[in-house]
Short mmCIF file of all heavy atoms in Angstrom, two decimals:
data_model
loop_
_atom_site.label_atom_id
_atom_site.label_comp_id
_atom_site.label_asym_id
_atom_site.label_seq_id
_atom_site.Cartn_x
_atom_site.Cartn_y
_atom_site.Cartn_z
N ARG N 1 78.94 102.41 102.71
CA ARG N 1 78.68 100.97 102.57
C ARG N 1 77.29 100.65 102.02
O ARG N 1 77.16 99.82 101.11
CB ARG N 1 78.88 100.32 103.94
CG ARG N 1 78.76 98.81 103.96
CD ARG N 1 78.79 98.35 105.40
NE ARG N 1 78.88 96.91 105.55
CZ ARG N 1 78.36 96.25 106.57
NH1 ARG N 1 77.73 96.92 107.51
NH2 ARG N 1 78.47 94.94 106.66
N PRO N 2 76.18 101.25 102.52
CA PRO N 2 74.86 100.92 101.95
C PRO N 2 74.76 101.25 100.47
O PRO N 2 74.22 100.46 99.68
CB PRO N 2 73.89 101.77 102.78
CG PRO N 2 74.62 102.06 104.05
CD PRO N 2 76.06 102.18 103.66
N ILE N 3 75.27 102.43 100.07
CA ILE N 3 75.16 102.85 98.68
C ILE N 3 76.03 102.00 97.78
O ILE N 3 75.62 101.59 96.68
CB ILE N 3 75.54 104.34 98.56
CG1 ILE N 3 74.59 105.18 99.42
CG2 ILE N 3 75.50 104.81 97.11
CD1 ILE N 3 74.94 106.62 99.50
N LEU N 4 77.24 101.69 98.22
CA LEU N 4 78.11 100.83 97.42
C LEU N 4 77.52 99.42 97.29
O LEU N 4 77.67 98.77 96.25
CB LEU N 4 79.50 100.76 98.07
CG LEU N 4 80.33 102.04 98.02
CD1 LEU N 4 81.62 101.87 98.82
CD2 LEU N 4 80.66 102.42 96.58
N THR N 5 76.85 98.95 98.34
CA THR N 5 76.23 97.63 98.28
C THR N 5 75.13 97.58 97.23
O THR N 5 75.06 96.65 96.41
CB THR N 5 75.66 97.25 99.65
OG1 THR N 5 76.72 97.15 100.60
CG2 THR N 5 74.92 95.92 99.59
N ILE N 6 74.25 98.59 97.24
CA ILE N 6 73.17 98.64 96.25
C ILE N 6 73.76 98.76 94.84
O ILE N 6 73.31 98.09 93.90
CB ILE N 6 72.23 99.83 96.54
CG1 ILE N 6 71.61 99.68 97.92
CG2 ILE N 6 71.15 99.92 95.46
CD1 ILE N 6 70.76 98.45 98.11
N ALA N 7 74.79 99.60 94.68
CA ALA N 7 75.41 99.75 93.37
C ALA N 7 76.03 98.44 92.90
O ALA N 7 75.92 98.08 91.72
CB ALA N 7 76.49 100.84 93.43
N ASN N 8 76.65 97.71 93.80
CA ASN N 8 77.27 96.43 93.45
C ASN N 8 76.22 95.40 93.04
O ASN N 8 76.45 94.57 92.16
CB ASN N 8 78.08 95.91 94.63
CG ASN N 8 78.89 94.67 94.28
OD1 ASN N 8 79.64 94.68 93.32
ND2 ASN N 8 78.73 93.62 95.06
N ALA N 9 75.03 95.48 93.66
CA ALA N 9 73.95 94.56 93.30
C ALA N 9 73.36 94.89 91.93
O ALA N 9 72.81 94.00 91.26
CB ALA N 9 72.86 94.61 94.36
N ILE N 10 73.48 96.15 91.51
CA ILE N 10 72.90 96.57 90.23
C ILE N 10 73.85 96.30 89.07
O ILE N 10 73.51 95.62 88.09
CB ILE N 10 72.53 98.07 90.27
CG1 ILE N 10 71.43 98.31 91.32
CG2 ILE N 10 72.06 98.56 88.91
CD1 ILE N 10 71.14 99.76 91.58
N ASP N 11 75.10 96.83 89.17
CA ASP N 11 76.01 96.73 88.04
C ASP N 11 77.43 97.04 88.52
O ASP N 11 77.64 97.97 89.30
CB ASP N 11 75.61 97.73 86.94
CG ASP N 11 76.51 97.65 85.73
OD1 ASP N 11 76.33 96.73 84.91
OD2 ASP N 11 77.40 98.52 85.61
N GLU N 12 78.40 96.30 88.02
CA GLU N 12 79.79 96.49 88.44
C GLU N 12 80.32 97.85 88.02
O GLU N 12 81.08 98.50 88.75
CB GLU N 12 80.67 95.38 87.86
CG GLU N 12 82.11 95.44 88.35
CD GLU N 12 82.96 94.29 87.85
OE1 GLU N 12 82.38 93.34 87.26
OE2 GLU N 12 84.19 94.33 88.04
N GLY N 13 79.90 98.32 86.83
CA GLY N 13 80.35 99.64 86.37
C GLY N 13 79.84 100.76 87.25
O GLY N 13 80.59 101.70 87.56
N ILE N 14 78.58 100.67 87.67
CA ILE N 14 78.02 101.67 88.58
C ILE N 14 78.76 101.64 89.90
O ILE N 14 79.06 102.69 90.49
CB ILE N 14 76.52 101.41 88.79
CG1 ILE N 14 75.76 101.61 87.48
CG2 ILE N 14 75.96 102.34 89.87
CD1 ILE N 14 74.29 101.29 87.57
N TYR N 15 79.09 100.45 90.37
CA TYR N 15 79.84 100.31 91.63
C TYR N 15 81.20 101.00 91.54
O TYR N 15 81.59 101.74 92.44
CB TYR N 15 80.00 98.83 91.97
CG TYR N 15 80.98 98.56 93.09
CD1 TYR N 15 80.62 98.79 94.41
CD2 TYR N 15 82.27 98.10 92.83
CE1 TYR N 15 81.52 98.57 95.45
CE2 TYR N 15 83.17 97.88 93.86
CZ TYR N 15 82.79 98.11 95.16
OH TYR N 15 83.69 97.89 96.18
N GLU N 16 81.92 100.77 90.45
CA GLU N 16 83.24 101.38 90.29
C GLU N 16 83.14 102.90 90.22
O GLU N 16 83.97 103.62 90.79
CB GLU N 16 83.93 100.82 89.04
CG GLU N 16 84.26 99.35 89.12
CD GLU N 16 85.30 99.03 90.19
OE1 GLU N 16 86.06 99.95 90.56
OE2 GLU N 16 85.34 97.88 90.65
N ASP N 17 82.13 103.41 89.50
CA ASP N 17 81.95 104.86 89.41
C ASP N 17 81.65 105.47 90.77
O ASP N 17 82.20 106.52 91.13
CB ASP N 17 80.80 105.19 88.44
CG ASP N 17 81.16 104.89 86.99
OD1 ASP N 17 82.36 104.74 86.69
OD2 ASP N 17 80.23 104.79 86.16
N LEU N 18 80.80 104.82 91.55
CA LEU N 18 80.46 105.33 92.88
C LEU N 18 81.64 105.26 93.83
O LEU N 18 81.83 106.15 94.66
CB LEU N 18 79.27 104.56 93.45
CG LEU N 18 77.89 105.12 93.11
CD1 LEU N 18 76.80 104.22 93.66
CD2 LEU N 18 77.72 106.53 93.65
N LEU N 19 82.44 104.22 93.71
CA LEU N 19 83.61 104.10 94.57
C LEU N 19 84.60 105.22 94.26
O LEU N 19 85.19 105.83 95.18
CB LEU N 19 84.28 102.74 94.36
CG LEU N 19 85.50 102.45 95.23
CD1 LEU N 19 85.15 102.55 96.71
CD2 LEU N 19 86.07 101.06 94.92
N SER N 20 84.79 105.54 92.98
CA SER N 20 85.67 106.65 92.61
C SER N 20 85.12 107.98 93.14
O SER N 20 85.88 108.82 93.63
CB SER N 20 85.81 106.73 91.08
OG SER N 20 86.42 105.56 90.57
N LEU N 21 83.80 108.15 93.04
CA LEU N 21 83.18 109.36 93.57
C LEU N 21 83.36 109.45 95.08
O LEU N 21 83.65 110.52 95.62
CB LEU N 21 81.69 109.38 93.22
CG LEU N 21 80.87 110.54 93.80
CD1 LEU N 21 81.36 111.87 93.25
CD2 LEU N 21 79.38 110.36 93.50
N ALA N 22 83.21 108.32 95.78
CA ALA N 22 83.38 108.31 97.23
C ALA N 22 84.79 108.73 97.62
O ALA N 22 84.98 109.51 98.56
CB ALA N 22 83.07 106.91 97.77
N GLN N 23 85.79 108.25 96.89
CA GLN N 23 87.18 108.62 97.18
C GLN N 23 87.41 110.10 96.92
O GLN N 23 88.09 110.78 97.70
CB GLN N 23 88.12 107.76 96.33
CG GLN N 23 88.13 106.30 96.72
CD GLN N 23 88.99 105.47 95.78
OE1 GLN N 23 88.58 105.11 94.68
NE2 GLN N 23 90.20 105.16 96.21
N GLU N 24 86.85 110.60 95.84
CA GLU N 24 87.02 112.02 95.50
C GLU N 24 86.37 112.91 96.55
O GLU N 24 86.97 113.89 97.02
CB GLU N 24 86.41 112.29 94.13
CG GLU N 24 86.52 113.75 93.68
CD GLU N 24 85.85 114.00 92.35
OE1 GLU N 24 85.54 113.02 91.64
OE2 GLU N 24 85.62 115.19 92.03
N LEU N 25 85.12 112.59 96.93
CA LEU N 25 84.44 113.40 97.93
C LEU N 25 85.11 113.30 99.30
O LEU N 25 85.13 114.28 100.05
CB LEU N 25 82.98 112.95 98.04
CG LEU N 25 82.09 113.22 96.82
CD1 LEU N 25 80.67 112.71 97.07
CD2 LEU N 25 82.08 114.70 96.48
N HIS N 26 85.67 112.13 99.60
CA HIS N 26 86.38 111.98 100.88
C HIS N 26 87.60 112.89 100.92
O HIS N 26 87.86 113.54 101.94
CB HIS N 26 86.80 110.53 101.06
CG HIS N 26 87.62 110.28 102.28
ND1 HIS N 26 87.17 110.55 103.56
CD2 HIS N 26 88.90 109.81 102.42
CE1 HIS N 26 88.11 110.25 104.43
NE2 HIS N 26 89.16 109.81 103.77
N SER N 27 88.34 112.97 99.83
CA SER N 27 89.51 113.85 99.78
C SER N 27 89.11 115.31 99.96
O SER N 27 89.74 116.06 100.71
CB SER N 27 90.24 113.67 98.44
OG SER N 27 90.72 112.35 98.29
N GLN N 28 88.02 115.72 99.28
CA GLN N 28 87.54 117.09 99.43
C GLN N 28 87.08 117.36 100.85
O GLN N 28 87.34 118.44 101.41
CB GLN N 28 86.39 117.33 98.45
CG GLN N 28 86.78 117.26 96.99
CD GLN N 28 85.59 117.40 96.07
OE1 GLN N 28 84.46 117.65 96.50
NE2 GLN N 28 85.82 117.24 94.77
N LYS N 29 86.41 116.40 101.45
CA LYS N 29 85.91 116.56 102.82
C LYS N 29 87.07 116.72 103.80
O LYS N 29 87.03 117.56 104.70
CB LYS N 29 85.05 115.37 103.21
CG LYS N 29 84.37 115.51 104.55
CD LYS N 29 83.72 114.21 104.98
CE LYS N 29 82.64 113.77 104.03
NZ LYS N 29 81.95 112.55 104.51
N MET N 30 88.11 115.90 103.64
CA MET N 30 89.25 115.98 104.55
C MET N 30 89.95 117.33 104.45
O MET N 30 90.42 117.87 105.44
CB MET N 30 90.23 114.85 104.25
CG MET N 30 89.73 113.46 104.61
SD MET N 30 89.31 113.28 106.38
CE MET N 30 87.50 113.45 106.31
N GLU N 31 90.03 117.87 103.25
CA GLU N 31 90.64 119.19 103.09
C GLU N 31 89.86 120.26 103.84
O GLU N 31 90.42 121.18 104.42
CB GLU N 31 90.72 119.55 101.61
CG GLU N 31 91.75 118.74 100.83
CD GLU N 31 91.81 119.15 99.37
OE1 GLU N 31 91.13 120.14 99.01
OE2 GLU N 31 92.53 118.50 98.59
N GLY N 32 88.52 120.12 103.82
CA GLY N 32 87.69 121.11 104.51
C GLY N 32 87.66 120.91 106.01
O GLY N 32 87.60 121.88 106.77
N ILE N 33 87.70 119.65 106.47
CA ILE N 33 87.59 119.37 107.90
C ILE N 33 88.86 119.73 108.65
O ILE N 33 88.82 120.29 109.74
CB ILE N 33 87.24 117.88 108.12
CG1 ILE N 33 85.80 117.62 107.67
CG2 ILE N 33 87.43 117.49 109.58
CD1 ILE N 33 85.38 116.17 107.79
N TYR N 34 90.01 119.44 108.05
CA TYR N 34 91.29 119.61 108.78
C TYR N 34 92.06 120.85 108.32
O TYR N 34 93.27 120.83 108.20
CB TYR N 34 92.15 118.36 108.58
CG TYR N 34 91.54 117.12 109.21
CD1 TYR N 34 91.02 116.11 108.42
CD2 TYR N 34 91.46 116.99 110.59
CE1 TYR N 34 90.44 114.98 109.00
CE2 TYR N 34 90.89 115.87 111.17
CZ TYR N 34 90.39 114.87 110.37
OH TYR N 34 89.83 113.77 110.94
N VAL N 35 91.33 121.94 108.06
CA VAL N 35 91.98 123.18 107.63
C VAL N 35 92.91 123.72 108.71
O VAL N 35 94.06 124.10 108.44
CB VAL N 35 90.92 124.23 107.24
CG1 VAL N 35 91.58 125.58 107.00
CG2 VAL N 35 90.16 123.78 106.01
N GLU N 36 92.43 123.76 109.96
CA GLU N 36 93.24 124.32 111.03
C GLU N 36 94.48 123.47 111.27
O GLU N 36 95.59 124.01 111.47
CB GLU N 36 92.42 124.41 112.32
CG GLU N 36 91.27 125.41 112.23
CD GLU N 36 90.51 125.51 113.54
OE1 GLU N 36 90.88 124.79 114.48
OE2 GLU N 36 89.55 126.31 113.62
#
């Protein structure tokens, strides 16, 4: 939320790129966390 807020205040394109990155990293994180 803090990073997306700053990105949204700067530029809509930067916000969209960061949101896509957040979704991608979240998917990778979930794969690593819930291996068992």
